[in-house]
Amino acid sequence: MKVIIPLAGKGTRLRPHTHVTPKPMLKVAGKPVMAYVMDDIMKLGDVEQVIYITGHLKEKVEEFARASYDIPAVFVEQVVQDGTAGAVALARPYVDQPVLIVFVDTIFDADLSIVHSTDADGIIWVKEVEDYQRFGVVVTDAEGNMTKIIEKPSTPISKRANIGLYYVRNWRLLYEGIDHVLTQPKNKGEYYLTDAFQYMIDKGAKIRVVDVEGWFDAGKLDTLLETNRAMLERGRARRPSSLGAGARLVDPVYIEDGATITNSTVGPNVSVGAGTVIDGSTVADSVIGVQSRIVRSTLHDSLVGDAVVIDGLAGEGTFGDHTELKVTAK
């Protein structure tokens, strides 16, 4: 089996952080989002090659992947951001067997090992959601096979959202479908991979629909913070080896060794990187990078990058790397 990982997007909803860090490499509970997904893929044991479709900050993605995973890999740049079908099309020269396709700006709780036993032409994993209007939703027949997928429906024809995780056993028909999609007018300005799946179904393919146990979005600020909380609650919490004077932690938290916390309350649902100093402050429901400094502040629901200085702030926000914010009392 081969794995295709499209990650060329610019992550505009997480700016300013994604100006310098690829969206899949932003951390929740001390670990890049991309790493949660890759660790699950590595457990499959029969992956021959990973094909990364890169774009924005491609050098950082390649450096991280090569340093972290000892598996054959190829990196293909998506110069034109023309949609998910266009991204997967770029992997075609390397695909000669079934493929797992994973979009890595989410974390999922799914049993990927079922790919070893399925006789279907493919599998699409879904998660039932209430805000179905935000997603492409999947409709199934009585046997649990996909009949169609509808992007951002106005009526609740289905609440089973497409989460960007697919296995395709009939890879030849997939690429026949992608070739067809790329010759058609764009769908809402893009070429959608799901339109290629619809082509497969129209040609008689059986694509099995499987619900995941959990799905955690990290594509925008509020959902990234929710995912940080979920990962802490699911076993990623970590206390440091020592605490400074007057430090109080409210679990769950992830505090790396080398962080200094004094005269402060930190938590719940806070991740703090190494070298960061928190003094005379209260911090909750936030992710803070490395080598930052937060003093005399009350911070909540915030995403703080690396080497940030926050002094005297009461509130919330998103602060990119090397930002300095000092509030002078009147």
Side-chain angles (χ1 to χ4, degrees):
M1 180 172 60
K2 295 197 174 182
V3 177
I4 302 172
I5 300 183
L7 32 61
K10 295 181 179 179
T12 56
R13 293 182 300 172
L14 280 166
R15 288 174 175 166
H17 303 279
T18 49
H19 283 310
V20 295
T21 302
K23 180 172 65 170
M25 289 176 58
L26 292 175
K27 291 182 179 181
V28 293
K31 183 175 179 178
V33 172
M34 177 180 171
Y36 287 93
V37 178
M38 286 300 301
D39 289 351
D40 284 342
I41 291 170
M42 296 296 287
K43 293 175 185 176
L44 287 172
D46 61 345
V47 175
E48 290 190 9
Q49 184 183 51
V50 179
I51 306 155
Y52 298 91
I53 309 301
T54 64
H56 180 58
L57 300 174
K58 61 179 182 177
E59 295 84 3
K60 290 188 176 182
V61 170
E62 183 169 349
E63 180 183 4
F64 173 78
R66 290 193 185 281
S68 302
Y69 301 101
D70 184 18
I71 188 169
V74 62
F75 299 85
V76 183
E77 183 179 5
Q78 185 180 14
V79 177
V80 178
Q81 305 289 305
D82 58 358
T84 52
V88 176
L90 295 173
R92 179 66 184 90
Y94 306 96
V95 175
D96 54 3
Q97 57 190 282
V99 291
L100 186 69
I101 304 170
V102 190
F103 290 80
V104 291
D105 55 356
T106 63
I107 299 170
F108 51 79
D109 183 2
D111 179 11
L112 296 182
S113 67
I114 62 174
V115 303
H116 296 140
S117 57
T118 187
D119 59 358
D121 293 289
I123 300 171
I124 178 172
W125 281 267
V126 298
K127 175 64 176 175
E128 185 168 313
V129 297
E130 290 303 318
D131 53 343
Y132 57 87
Q133 300 96 333
R134 289 181 51 219
F135 303 97
V137 297
V138 176
V139 181
T140 62
D141 61 20
E143 286 74 43
N145 295 315
M146 174 178 158
T147 57
K148 57 184 174 180
I149 186 166
I150 301 170
E151 291 294 334
K152 300 179 181 178
S154 56
T155 58
I157 187 170
S158 170
K159 293 186 177 181
R160 299 172 83 186
N162 166 31
I163 68 168
L165 175 61
Y166 320 97
Y167 171 73
V168 182
R169 192 163 66 96
N170 191 346
W171 56 273
R172 291 184 177 87
L173 185 58
L174 168 68
Y175 276 99
E176 183 181 309
I178 289 174
D179 289 343
H180 171 76
V181 169
L182 295 180
T183 65
Q184 303 302 304
K186 289 182 178 179
N187 181 353
K188 300 177 182 178
E190 296 186 36
Y191 296 118
Y192 283 99
L193 183 62
T194 48
D195 289 337
F197 292 145
Q198 189 67 56
Y199 177 94
M200 293 177 68
I201 292 167
D202 294 343
K203 293 293 184 180
K206 298 294 184 183
I207 298 180
R208 190 75 179 166
V209 179
V210 177
D211 291 277
V212 296
E213 292 295 324
W215 175 49
F216 310 97
D217 184 14
K220 55 193 183 82
L221 176 62
D222 58 343
T223 58
L224 185 142
L225 295 177
E226 290 170 6
T227 296
N228 181 66
R229 181 186 69 239
M231 295 302 104
L232 292 175
E233 292 173 346
R234 287 169 166 250
R236 283 288 300 172
R238 181 187 189 277
R239 282 180 165 238
S241 55
S242 62
L243 284 173
R248 175 174 177 261
L249 300 183
V250 182
D251 293 320
V253 295
Y254 179 96
I255 313 293
E256 293 185 359
D257 289 337
T260 302
I261 300 172
T262 52
N263 303 311
S264 299
T265 298
V266 175
N269 312 315
V270 174
S271 297
V272 180
T276 285
V277 173
I278 301 176
D279 180 56
S281 298
T282 299
V283 182
D285 300 296
S286 298
V287 174
I288 302 168
V290 302
Q291 301 294 331
S292 289
R293 181 175 178 83
I294 299 172
V295 298
R296 300 188 307 112
S297 296
T298 301
L299 198 65
H300 64 90
D301 298 288
S302 296
L303 182 57
V304 180
D306 299 338
V308 172
V309 176
I310 297 176
D311 184 349
L313 176 67
E316 61 184 277
T318 181
F319 310 95
D321 292 3
H322 304 287
T323 297
E324 291 195 14
L325 178 62
K326 298 181 180 181
V327 181
T328 303
K330 293 182 179 179

